[in-house]
Amino acid sequence: MYPNILRHPGPTPIPKKVQLAMNQDMISHRSEEFVQLFQETTNRVKPIFGTKQDILLLPSGGTAALEAAAVNTVSPGEEVVVITVGAFGDYFVSICEKYGFHVHKLETAWGDACTEEDLAAFLKPLSNIKAVFATYNETSTGILNPIEKLAKVVSNQTDALFIVDGVSCIGGAPAEMDQWGTDILVTGSQKAMMLPPGLALLSISKRAWKVIEENQTPSYYLNLVSYREWAAKGMTPNTPAVSLIFGLSAVCDLIDEEGGFTQTVARHELMKNMVRGAMKALSIGLLTSDEYASPTITAIRTPEGLELSSFLRHLKQNYHLDFAGGLGSLQGEIFRFGHMGYCFPSDVLEAVSLMEAGLQDFSYSFEPGAGVRAAQTIFLNANRK
């Protein structure tokens, strides 16, 4: 049996070291051993978020943490702005509407980022905005929003909290939560963090804690004050995903072995450039501009003359190469090449080579090897610097 070559935006491949860590004997989540594991591991995650604030761990998917960020800060009837540049920005809209918030939706065309000018103009006529929600990396379109610049606009024009979904990029993209002025930053385990699904991580600014403490919207399982109180004891209020926390500790080891988080970010940037260079050499269109391209996932237009679902199915069945299709209005129009977490330039070269084989099977007109050469040249030039 050939292994599946998973080049999805998540779940992503799990390193062997992480698998072994998660296979350790179970321990009690109220034991001294767990307290030490929890405290050491959450402290080691802080540089990935770019924060000195505590990292809270929720035994959930990323969506639950996004919901927690909303329900703990805003009450029904209060006004919020949601920036949406794709399907997962719309998630925030749905969450906010479900809780009865008054939502002002700032929407861009799928494939475009939200610029600081867009946000400044949108906020100008508004007042009494309690929170601005944004997606850092839009998984459905491969857009990386300029969060640092957007945070400055929010700070300059409002008293609102700035709450950011970093689920599909934290661990692979730069994050300076404290420096940028982000109030809540959320991610999930199953993407750039190199873990299976089931663990959400978030950090909260001092300013946001004041709002949370005064918020009257009821919550139980997602009550962030409860998570903070238990985190001070090195625990969680409910049973945590103990095995995933063992794995998270191993993830921190791998980042250290790579030379630190700066090197991890550089690897993701390099892989982004390799994928984009390869597609351009193959005359295959990209959904996003280079300026706002994601370092963790690339949205690629359907090669001319191909029926996309047949092509993707052929790649998986014949070459064991597994890409993700498009979502929503982009279904059938794009596919998504994930290059995050436990993924390296060699994996990109492998995937591009197999993709070229599939293109030849479908009689797509191109110079064989052009994509691999382009990606390889970018890789070699980066190593020579």
Side-chain angles (χ1 to χ4, degrees):
M1 290 290 292
Y2 290 99
N4 187 46
I5 302 168
L6 188 63
R7 295 271 65 88
H8 267 238
T12 62
I14 310 301
K16 290 294 184 184
K17 182 168 185 172
V18 174
Q19 292 182 25
L20 290 171
M22 292 188 297
N23 282 336
Q24 293 182 66
D25 291 341
M26 187 53 58
I27 60 174
S28 167
H29 63 292
R30 298 294 184 236
S31 66
E32 291 182 5
E33 293 90 341
F34 179 79
V35 169
Q36 182 177 356
L37 172 69
F38 181 95
Q39 292 176 335
E40 290 180 354
T41 303
T42 53
N43 282 331
R44 295 177 73 191
V45 172
K46 290 180 182 181
I48 300 173
F49 278 67
T51 188
K52 294 182 179 178
Q53 305 305 314
D54 291 338
I55 303 294
L56 302 183
L57 303 180
L58 279 63
S60 69
T63 302
L66 300 178
E67 182 171 341
V71 71
N72 282 268
T73 57
V74 185
S75 297
E78 292 184 323
E79 299 192 44
V80 300
V81 169
V82 181
I83 300 168
T84 173
V85 299
F88 292 92
D90 288 343
Y91 267 32
F92 255 146
V93 173
S94 298
I95 290 168
C96 291
E97 289 179 342
K98 188 72 173 181
Y99 281 100
F101 306 162
H102 182 181
V103 177
H104 300 274
K105 183 178 178 180
L106 168 52
E107 187 172 17
T108 70
W110 285 28
D112 292 340
C114 177
T115 67
E116 60 266 41
E117 293 83 8
D118 294 333
L119 181 57
F122 191 84
L123 289 174
K124 191 171 183 180
L126 302 177
S127 59
N128 301 317
I129 299 299
K130 189 70 178 289
V132 176
F133 297 89
T135 306
Y136 189 3
N137 190 81
E138 176 52 63
T139 319
S140 64
T141 62
I143 279 288
L144 191 77
N145 273 316
I147 290 298
E148 179 180 8
K149 295 176 180 179
L150 298 181
K152 290 179 181 177
V153 173
V154 174
S155 177
N156 289 339
Q157 293 188 214
T158 75
D159 294 322
L161 297 179
F162 189 45
I163 300 173
V164 176
D165 166 7
V167 169
S168 64
C169 68
I170 297 303
E176 296 293 343
M177 178 181 166
D178 295 347
Q179 182 180 325
W180 294 351
T182 303
D183 290 296
I184 301 180
L185 181 59
V186 172
T187 196
S189 55
Q190 76 277 18
K191 296 183 183 288
M193 295 301 293
M194 300 186 281
L195 289 163
L199 186 67
L201 303 85
L202 71 161
S203 190
I204 301 168
S205 72
K206 292 180 180 179
R207 193 170 78 100
W209 276 121
K210 292 180 181 179
V211 174
I212 291 169
E213 290 161 0
E214 297 171 358
N215 184 51
Q216 299 300 311
T217 306
S219 60
Y220 179 76
Y221 191 78
L222 299 179
N223 187 303
L224 294 178
V225 171
S226 178
Y227 278 92
R228 180 178 63 174
E229 291 172 349
W230 280 90
K233 298 183 284 187
M235 302 180 192
T236 57
N238 306 294
T239 306
V242 177
S243 295
L244 291 177
I245 300 172
F246 275 131
L248 181 58
S249 178
V251 167
C252 293
D253 289 341
L254 289 173
I255 291 173
D256 288 345
E257 290 167 12
E258 189 169 15
F261 186 56
T262 300
Q263 293 302 314
T264 303
V265 169
R267 169 168 53 86
H268 283 80
E269 186 71 13
L270 172 58
M271 292 189 295
K272 174 195 79 174
N273 293 335
M274 290 173 66
V275 172
R276 295 180 72 82
M279 295 307 110
K280 291 173 184 177
L282 296 170
S283 300
I284 298 175
L286 298 165
L287 181 65
T288 68
S289 68
D290 290 345
E291 182 180 6
Y292 297 112
S294 163
T296 60
I297 182 169
T298 299
I300 302 169
R301 296 188 185 275
T302 302
E304 187 175 352
L306 273 63
E307 199 284 314
L308 184 59
S309 62
S310 297
F311 178 60
L312 296 181
R313 185 166 55 249
H314 180 81
L315 288 178
K316 186 172 182 180
Q317 290 177 350
N318 292 276
Y319 299 104
H320 313 282
L321 178 59
D322 194 356
F323 289 128
L327 298 176
S329 62
L330 293 176
Q331 189 170 2
E333 301 295 321
I334 66 162
F335 64 98
R336 293 173 296 150
F337 187 137
H339 38 84
M340 68 179 81
Y342 195 58
C343 181
F344 298 88
S346 57
D347 297 305
V348 171
L349 291 171
E350 175 189 48
V352 172
S353 176
L354 294 173
M355 181 180 160
E356 285 197 18
L359 289 171
Q360 291 186 69
D361 294 340
F362 275 68
S363 300
Y364 177 78
S365 179
F366 73 104
E367 179 188 351
V372 174
R373 280 197 304 275
Q376 186 181 69
T377 298
I378 292 168
F379 173 59
L380 292 174
N381 287 340
N383 281 343
R384 289 170 182 147
K385 291 180 180 178

